[in-house]
């Protein structure tokens, strides 16, 4: 991870915009579009800030008509 503070899944969803919710992020992880993030000792996902841009890319590509498989 970078030196930047990590984001929780809720913070990630909020910063991404485009109507991306927590369940969508979990789904993208299961589909392999996002790498599984490290977790805290209590089990919380900790995302790198760069993940926001990756999610925005996925949503923009979907908006252009690409399927998740193509992305």
């Amino acid at each position: 991870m970078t030196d930047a503070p990590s984001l929780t899944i809720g913070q990630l969803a909020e910063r991404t915009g485009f109507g991306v919710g927590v369940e969508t992020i979990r789904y993208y992880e299961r589909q392999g579009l996002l790498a599984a993030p490290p977790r805290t000792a209590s089990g919380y996902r900790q995302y790198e800030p760069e993940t926001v841009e990756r999610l925005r890319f996925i949503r923009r590509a979907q908006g252009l008509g690409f399927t998740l498989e193509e992305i």
Side-chain angles (χ1 to χ4, degrees):
M1 256 201 242
T2 65
D3 290 336
S6 59
L7 303 170
T8 65
I9 196 167
Q11 291 169 326
L12 180 63
E14 183 179 299
R15 290 186 186 186
T16 302
F18 293 103
V20 175
V22 170
E23 289 303 317
T24 301
I25 294 169
R26 289 180 183 143
Y27 177 77
Y28 289 167
E29 284 180 30
R30 290 191 302 271
Q31 298 304 307
L33 292 166
L34 295 175
R39 293 180 180 247
T40 64
S42 57
Y44 289 98
R45 292 170 170 87
Q46 295 293 288
Y47 294 91
E48 294 184 30
E50 295 80 21
T51 309
V52 172
E53 289 306 315
R54 183 166 183 85
L55 281 169
R56 287 179 180 163
F57 171 82
I58 292 167
R59 295 305 278 209
R60 282 192 302 261
Q62 285 182 304
L64 293 171
F66 288 93
T67 64
L68 290 180
E69 186 174 298
E70 293 171 322
I71 298 168

